[in-house]
Amino acid sequence: MSEQHQFQAEVGRLLDIVTHALYTDREIFLRELVSNAADALDRLRYAAIAAPQLLESDPDLKISIAFDAQARTLAVSDNGIGMTREELANNLGTIAKSGTREALAGMGDGKKDMNLIGQFGVGFYAAFMVADKVTVSSRKAGAQEAWQWESDGKSGYALAERVKDTRGTEITLHLKDDASEFLLEDRLKQIVKKYSDHIGFTIAVSGVTVNAGSALWMRPKSDITKEQYKEFYHHVSGAMQIDEPWLTLHWRAEGAFEYTSLLFVPQMKPFDLYDPRRPHGVKLYVKRVFITEGLDGLIPPFLRFLKGVVDSEDLPLNISREMLQSSPMVAKMSSAITKKVLDALQEKAEKHPGEFFEFWSLFGPVVKEGLYDAHAHRAQLCKVARFYSTHGETLVSLDGYIGRMKEGQEHIYYLSANDPQAAKNSPQLEAFRDKGIEVLFMTDTIDEFWLPMQNDYEGRKFKSITRGAAELPKVKSESKKEEDAEREKSAAAATPLLERLKEILKDEVRDVTLSERLVDSPVCLVAPESDVDIRMQRLLKRTQDYDAKHKHILEINARHPVIRKMERLSANDELLKDTAFLLLDQAKILEGEPLKNPTEFVRRMSQAIEKGLLAG
Ligand code: ADP
Ligand code: MG
């Protein structure tokens, strides 16, 4: 007797996209099924460490592909872990990964969405690209009963009990009319060779073994082609063909403890990259036996975009995940792996800055998390990190910055802003620009967290240019706009105005001061030295509901024509008041701060425009 079940909505959505997309690479369905079969064998081998009886009389783990040209069926079988009735229903009727589910929920039709799917792979459901009916029979290792799952890939699936003599899973595809090529032995062999050669289990097509049968990472580097690395990357990452490895690292560590690593940095950004809880994509093997994936402590969170395999020769096989996480041997491996990856990134950054730029623009914000929480790697991370700055379109390293420091400059200056464009327009930059002093742009959220902890780099302090007194270094102005004497004169003239502004804006700002950092703008906002940066305050307010008690400081440019005009207005003049508020709001807008009273701002602005027009 068979029961009918509905697919979860997102599965229906995925199947709809998969079956209707004009997809040229549909041969990858076989890669997906073989890859699942290999996973099932891996899991059985692992389970058999603790329970050897699971292997029963059938210890030779393998994958078989067979076809029947008459019946137009293609079957992929494995003698792996198998699935229970519940597992069939859960694994093949729902999508478990929350990120994938959310991504699917917001997805429409078309090429762009197909690309998005490429990021997480369609897995088992790829079978419906070539089949109009799929039958899955499975017997769980250690169980006697077997179950059958069957679906036409439309609205749901049927579950029924059945007889199966052997352990594991058999997936039978009833091929569509236009999929006859997958009934040709040579074609099937070619696909297996192309995508699955690296799999460490025997794969047979019509009874004949077609793959090398040894794990790719154990083979010598010189025997592995770029194509093979790429296919292996697709296998471990589940990514589709459009994503290629940006960096491939394959090495064997010998000595106190031995392990082999084959790691990849992806070219495309995973959709859930910025979620710090996202597990990394590195699988841990012990002597070719798959143990677990995404183990905490093996790869630091700031490298969570890594994919691949680490295979240890020394870890004990029967060890729980919890024990692994706190194992000193795993910690040592982790630190060696991290160093190796950072070495490679540093080399890329130095030798191929163009390529590194591509990487950094996607993964830089994540790597910088290490500056905040990976003390042991901080020195190396400082060598890898790159920043936008006032000096040009290309990224600069901290060493590069120090190399271009002006004579008499002691500190590393930075400006915190939402994005490089906003940073460029900051009035606080003016005096630095005028003196030709480079300012780094800190535009990632994480910058607000690591900078306060990182006192200095190579003895140079990090100084925010929007916090505290300007403390401009004694560097001669490049444009020589002004002489010191004239500067002092204008400052003295502005003192009475300063007092009046303090009075007018006393509820709005903490203080009004004369600016050292402004050249072309009349005013700007800064944070007091003792406070966190303005942008950090905004961030805390948003993320932690933190209410900044401290008000900002308004700096005015005594040499600016608007300020000079204001000096001549009398104390009780409405125009002085309106102008003061207008300037404050203007500074807020540039800072990305919300206006307290937009209606008032508009009223004052219109009035000013009107006056200007009438005067002109
Ligand atoms: P993924 O492999 O990324 O988990 P798939 O869509 O390829 O996603 O497969 C879904 C799930 O179905 C797998 O995680 C696994 O639990 C189960 N599964 C698929 N094929 C097999 C198989 N041959 N043997 C055992 N379980 C399988
Ligand atoms: Mg899969």
Side-chain angles (χ1 to χ4, degrees):
M1 214 194 75
S2 90
E3 301 166 24
Q4 205 56 41
H5 298 263
Q6 289 293 113
F7 283 129
Q8 182 193 33
E10 289 83 0
V11 174
R13 184 84 203 95
L14 180 59
L15 281 169
D16 203 40
I17 297 172
V18 168
T19 41
H20 293 114
L22 284 173
Y23 196 53
T24 48
D25 283 332
R26 56 183 195 159
E27 65 188 30
I28 61 101
F29 82 91
L30 194 57
R31 177 193 76 184
E32 294 299 326
L33 298 183
V34 167
S35 161
N36 285 348
D39 289 347
L41 296 175
D42 265 338
R43 284 164 57 203
L44 176 67
R45 191 155 58 178
Y46 179 63
I49 298 167
Q53 71 278 9
L54 288 178
L55 292 172
E56 293 169 284
S57 54
D58 187 11
D60 188 14
L61 304 181
K62 60 179 185 302
I63 301 165
S64 315
I65 299 168
F67 62 90
D68 179 337
Q70 230 75 61
R72 296 187 58 82
T73 57
L74 174 68
V76 179
S77 344
D78 65 72
N79 54 352
I81 193 81
M83 284 178 273
T84 62
R85 181 185 181 280
E86 282 64 41
E87 285 168 335
L88 279 168
N90 287 334
N91 298 339
L92 309 182
T94 61
I95 293 173
K97 285 182 217 131
S98 67
T100 309
R101 213 169 49 224
E102 280 141 25
L104 272 172
M107 210 178 260
D109 296 304
K111 210 171 154 63
K112 191 174 125 275
D113 291 318
M114 205 54 213
N115 282 350
L116 190 54
I117 280 192
Q119 286 194 32
F120 44 80
V122 284
F124 167 78
Y125 303 107
F128 289 99
M129 295 196 290
V130 297
D132 42 29
K133 189 167 90 177
V134 177
T135 312
V136 181
S137 311
S138 197
R139 196 177 109 191
K140 183 87 179 179
Q144 287 314 307
E145 77 277 10
W147 289 87
Q148 177 180 297
W149 176 104
E150 191 166 80
S151 172
D152 60 3
K154 288 183 181 126
S155 60
Y157 57 92
L159 277 179
E161 191 159 8
R162 58 155 276 173
V163 179
K164 189 174 185 295
D165 297 333
T166 52
R167 173 191 70 222
T169 304
E170 179 174 61
I171 300 182
T172 307
L173 311 188
H174 304 263
L175 294 174
K176 290 182 184 173
D177 288 343
D178 65 356
S180 303
E181 59 183 296
F182 305 113
L183 295 169
L184 300 171
E185 190 168 322
D186 285 344
R187 177 82 173 105
L188 293 170
K189 284 181 176 165
Q190 176 222 349
I191 303 173
V192 172
K193 261 296 211 210
K194 178 171 173 192
Y195 295 106
S196 311
D197 192 43
H198 55 79
I199 283 181
F201 298 100
T202 303
I203 307 171
V205 174
S206 303
V208 183
T209 301
V210 285
N211 68 328
S214 63
L216 185 82
W217 63 89
M218 296 309 289
R219 300 184 207 164
K221 264 167 103 154
S222 52
D223 290 1
I224 307 173
T225 64
K226 206 177 155 214
E227 269 311 298
Q228 285 174 317
Y229 274 129
K230 202 173 106 182
E231 288 315 332
F232 184 73
Y233 166 70
H234 289 137
H235 169 68
V236 286
S237 70
M240 275 199 191
Q241 308 307 103
I242 40 169
D243 186 12
E244 294 194 13
W246 177 78
L247 184 68
T248 303
L249 294 170
H250 186 188
W251 80 97
R252 186 161 308 179
E254 272 148 9
F257 46 92
E258 292 181 19
Y259 60 89
T260 304
S261 298
L262 174 49
L263 300 179
F264 303 95
V265 174
Q267 203 172 56
M268 284 167 67
K269 187 166 80 174
F271 57 89
D272 57 350
L273 181 66
Y274 294 136
D275 181 355
R277 286 157 310 179
R278 175 185 195 275
H280 62 81
V282 177
K283 296 182 174 181
L284 177 66
Y285 281 72
V286 173
K287 296 193 191 72
R288 260 64 67 216
V289 177
F290 170 72
I291 304 294
T292 184
E293 183 167 1
L295 181 79
D296 262 353
L298 181 63
I299 301 293
F302 72 87
L303 294 178
R304 60 181 174 271
F305 47 83
L306 286 178
K307 306 272 184 186
V309 165
V310 173
D311 189 347
S312 157
E313 299 297 327
D314 308 302
L315 283 170
L317 268 170
N318 42 3
I319 177 170
S320 73
R321 210 182 150 97
E322 290 67 35
M323 276 167 71
L324 274 174
Q325 276 168 17
S326 51
S327 148
M329 210 177 327
V330 170
K332 277 195 193 128
M333 266 196 323
S334 172
S335 134
I337 291 168
T338 305
K339 186 172 176 313
K340 191 89 181 183
V341 173
L342 289 178
D343 281 345
L345 289 179
Q346 196 177 332
E347 192 186 314
K348 267 275 198 202
E350 279 155 20
K351 296 203 178 133
H352 307 280
E355 282 175 46
F356 189 78
F357 177 82
E358 306 274 308
F359 161 80
W360 191 254
S361 52
L362 296 180
F363 299 104
V366 173
V367 176
K368 278 195 278 182
E369 287 175 19
L371 286 169
Y372 176 65
D373 60 11
H375 300 256
H377 300 286
R378 210 178 255 184
Q380 215 184 351
L381 280 164
C382 282
K383 299 268 176 209
V384 171
R386 292 291 186 275
F387 305 91
Y388 285 103
S389 82
T390 41
H391 285 33
E393 295 300 314
T394 51
L395 296 167
V396 64
S397 65
L398 291 176
D399 287 330
Y401 179 94
I402 289 178
R404 318 204 269 233
M405 276 172 49
K406 292 269 163 190
E407 225 180 287
Q409 179 184 350
E410 281 172 43
H411 307 310
I412 299 172
Y413 291 101
Y414 71 87
L415 169 70
S416 181
N418 290 341
D419 56 79
Q421 206 46 52
K424 275 195 192 114
N425 299 333
S426 264
Q428 290 96 334
L429 273 180
E430 289 167 0
F432 288 86
R433 203 171 258 149
D434 198 43
K435 289 176 184 258
I437 298 169
E438 183 166 19
V439 175
L440 299 178
F441 296 157
M442 299 294 179
T443 49
D444 294 313
T445 305
I446 187 68
D447 296 328
E448 303 294 329
F449 294 89
W450 68 265
L451 275 163
M453 297 175 54
Q454 182 95 21
N455 247 328
D456 63 295
Y457 174 71
E458 308 266 313
R460 311 284 186 176
K461 281 204 165 57
F462 287 97
K463 283 265 179 200
S464 163
I465 67 158
T466 60
R467 205 178 68 205
E471 249 188 84
L472 276 173
K474 299 275 165 270
V475 175
K476 273 266 170 297
S477 169
E478 281 182 354
S479 60
K480 295 202 178 54
K481 262 191 188 152
E482 210 161 1
E483 301 300 327
D484 281 353
E486 199 195 329
R487 180 183 278 266
E488 269 167 38
K489 218 175 82 194
S490 54
T495 312
L497 172 67
L498 210 57
E499 293 310 315
R500 271 178 276 154
L501 288 178
K502 280 184 196 176
E503 180 56 29
I504 295 170
L505 300 174
K506 67 173 185 296
D507 294 332
E508 312 297 322
V509 296
R510 162 192 284 228
D511 201 0
V512 184
T513 61
L514 285 179
S515 186
E516 290 276 332
R517 62 195 110 210
L518 292 174
V519 176
D520 300 314
S521 300
V523 293
C524 71
L525 284 174
V526 297
E529 183 75 48
S530 56
D531 271 14
V532 286
D533 252 338
I534 298 182
R535 180 158 166 262
M536 178 64 156
Q537 291 183 14
R538 216 165 37 235
L539 219 98
L540 289 173
K541 201 166 173 169
R542 206 169 55 222
T543 56
Q544 340 234 351
D545 217 17
Y546 159 99
D547 206 6
K549 299 266 178 311
H550 306 301
K551 295 182 184 128
H552 305 319
I553 294 171
L554 183 72
E555 288 196 352
I556 64 171
N557 178 359
R559 286 146 286 158
H560 194 278
V562 170
I563 301 294
R564 289 189 162 164
K565 269 254 156 59
M566 287 172 81
E567 283 162 10
R568 280 178 239 139
L569 297 172
S570 70
N572 53 5
D573 196 327
E574 273 302 309
L575 185 58
L576 177 64
K577 240 174 102 180
D578 278 347
T579 314
F581 275 99
L582 265 180
L583 288 177
L584 174 66
D585 282 349
Q586 186 179 310
K588 280 187 176 173
I589 290 172
L590 276 184
E591 203 53 56
E593 290 271 289
L595 295 187
K596 210 169 162 187
N597 191 338
T599 322
E600 274 295 281
F601 170 72
V602 170
R603 180 190 65 76
R604 290 180 182 123
M605 194 59 161
S606 315
Q607 234 162 42
I609 293 171
E610 207 172 298
K611 268 197 192 116
L613 287 177
L614 291 181

